[in-house]
């Protein structure tokens, strides 16, 4: 069956880095767009980045531009989110999700994503 499994979260100091990984199974990664969402306590789930089937089909929300990088390795069935210069406001549970399509549709909203991972906690604190 379709599965998405996130890993790589943890506790990091402001200014630090983490790399999240989303390992997928049960489908061909290259056939779908994949997005990273995050949800902080008391806030709505926010789509922060997306990678589509075509090279260069990449989206970042303004809050993370220049700090986060999304990438995919289709051979390893894995999508990554490299997070640098982390801020306390980046604290959230991060989810990866499979789009209904193979392109990134902007804005990145949860309704466009049909399969989800269980999430990984990222805490940025000194």
């Amino acid at each position: 069956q379709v599965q998405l499994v996130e890993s790589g979260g943890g506790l990091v100091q402001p200014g630090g880095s983490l790399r999240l990984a989303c390992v997928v199974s049960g489908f061909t990664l290259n056939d779908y767009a994949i997005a990273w969402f995050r949800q902080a306590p008391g806030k709505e789930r926010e789509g922060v980045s997306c990678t589509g089937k075509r090279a260069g089909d990449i989206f970042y929300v303004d809050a993370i531009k220049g700090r986060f990088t999304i990438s995919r390795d289709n051979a390893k069935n894995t999508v990554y989110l490299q997070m640098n210069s982390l801020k306390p406001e980046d604290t959230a549970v991060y989810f990866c999700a499979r789009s209904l399509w193979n392109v990134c549709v902007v804005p990145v909203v949860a309704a466009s994503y049909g399969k989800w991972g269980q999430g990984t906690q990222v805490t940025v604190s000194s």
Side-chain angles (χ1 to χ4, degrees), residues 84-105:
N84 299 329
S85 303
L86 282 160
K87 305 175 180 180
E89 52 262 45
D90 295 318
T91 295
V93 178
Y94 283 72
F95 302 86
C96 62
R98 190 187 79 173
S99 176
L100 301 177
W101 302 288
N102 61 16
V103 295
C104 290
V105 177

Side-chain angles (χ1 to χ4, degrees), residues 6-125:
E6 304 95 334
S7 64
L11 173 64
V12 63
Q13 292 187 341
S17 297
L18 285 173
R19 187 176 79 157
L20 305 184
C22 172
V23 178
V24 309
S25 60
F27 65 97
T28 301
L29 177 60
N30 197 41
D31 287 345
Y32 291 90
I34 301 292
W36 285 96
F37 288 76
R38 67 185 180 185
Q39 188 165 21
K43 294 190 176 182
E44 292 187 357
R45 193 166 296 191
E46 173 189 31
V48 297
S49 186
C50 176
T51 171
K53 176 183 174 71
R54 292 183 298 107
D57 183 9
I58 290 178
F59 166 80
Y60 299 104
V61 70
D62 285 347
I64 67 165
K65 279 182 180 176
R67 300 188 297 122
F68 292 12
T69 303
I70 193 170
S71 62
R72 63 163 71 202
D73 185 334
N74 291 323
K76 294 184 177 180
N77 293 320
T78 303
V79 177
Y80 302 97
L81 187 67
Q82 177 67 43
M83 306 188 296
N84 299 329
S85 303
L86 282 160
K87 305 175 180 180
E89 52 262 45
D90 295 318
T91 295
V93 178
Y94 283 72
F95 302 86
C96 62
R98 190 187 79 173
S99 176
L100 301 177
W101 302 288
N102 61 16
V103 295
C104 290
V105 177
V106 178
V108 177
V109 296
S112 296
Y113 292 78
K115 298 293 184 182
W116 294 80
Q118 82 290 347
T120 185
Q121 176 71 47
V122 171
T123 302
V124 184
S125 174

